[in-house]
């Protein structure tokens, strides 16, 4: 992967619907060359998909929270299918520290969140943090290298 591939990834992370011509102009290549690079990045697994960013509040999800779950590792085989089937779970990470799982969730009300936490406690001890604001929203993966930023 060279600096042009990284620039293409940067552009697509900011706007996955950017036209090939626009990307080509920004990286100083032809549209077919950019198309070939994007196809290769997809084939190599660097680009894993394209998705729209949705405002949770406009979809009725007024409560965003992070739940820490302390769970016996032997319960993971039953926990993973359960958590994958929960549509309000935005992300679930296995982490180090006092808790074994970090779960990001979205709910319409705190009552719905409370019900979910009560169900989740069958797997272990929880600690919940409700989000007031998000100064840095999901941004793309940093792909530029410091030496390339001056080019």
């Amino acid at each position: 992967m060279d600096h042009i591939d990284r620039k293409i990834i940067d552009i697509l992370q900011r706007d996955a619907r950017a036209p090939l011509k626009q990307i080509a102009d920004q990286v100083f290549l032809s549209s077919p060359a950019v198309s070939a690079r994007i196809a290769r990045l997809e084939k190599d697994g660097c680009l894993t998909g394209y998705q729209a960013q949705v405002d949770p509040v406009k979809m009725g999800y007024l409560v965003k929270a992070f739940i820490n779950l302390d769970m016996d590792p032997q319960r993971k085989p039953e926990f993973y299918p359960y958590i994958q089937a929960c549509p309000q779970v935005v992300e679930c990470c296995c982490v180090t520290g006092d808790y074994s799982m970090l779960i990001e969730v979205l709910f319409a009300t705190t009552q719905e969140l409370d019900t979910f936490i009560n169900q989740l406690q069958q797997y272990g001890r929880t600690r919940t943090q409700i989000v007031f604001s998000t100064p840095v929203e999901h941004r793309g993966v940093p792909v530029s290298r410091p030496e390339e930023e001056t080019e």
Side-chain angles (χ1 to χ4, degrees), residues 6-146:
R6 283 190 277 282
K7 177 79 171 164
I8 291 169
I9 292 169
D10 266 341
I11 293 166
L12 289 172
Q13 284 188 124
R14 282 191 306 274
D15 180 6
R17 295 179 65 182
L20 280 177
K21 174 77 171 108
Q22 179 185 332
I23 298 169
D25 289 346
Q26 291 182 47
V27 298
F28 307 106
L29 291 176
S30 68
S31 293
V34 169
S35 180
R37 282 177 177 259
I38 290 172
R40 183 178 38 77
L41 289 166
E42 290 170 348
K43 181 177 170 270
D44 292 346
C46 295
L47 292 173
T48 59
Y50 302 85
Q51 46 185 207
Q53 293 181 347
V54 178
D55 183 339
V57 173
K58 292 196 174 160
M59 300 305 294
Y61 297 107
L62 306 177
V63 180
K64 178 179 183 178
F66 289 92
I67 304 168
N68 289 290
L69 172 65
D70 184 19
M71 181 181 65
D72 181 339
Q74 293 181 343
R75 300 221 39 209
K76 286 180 182 178
E78 65 182 291
F79 172 74
Y80 285 164
Y82 166 77
I83 205 71
Q84 289 169 349
C86 297
Q88 288 80 9
V89 173
V90 176
E91 187 170 28
C92 178
C93 303
C94 186
V95 297
T96 63
D98 294 337
Y99 293 85
S100 51
M101 296 289 164
L102 177 62
I103 306 163
E104 181 181 354
V105 296
L106 295 171
F107 286 95
T109 66
T110 54
Q111 291 80 9
E112 291 176 9
L113 172 61
D114 184 48
T115 299
F116 177 74
I117 292 168
N118 288 335
Q119 294 167 354
L120 195 59
Q121 288 175 339
Q122 70 180 310
Y123 294 100
R125 177 176 61 103
T126 63
R127 186 185 80 202
T128 303
Q129 298 165 301
I130 294 177
V131 175
F132 288 145
S133 65
T134 306
V136 178
E137 191 60 51
H138 298 280
R139 57 181 165 202
V141 175
V143 292
S144 296
R145 293 188 176 151

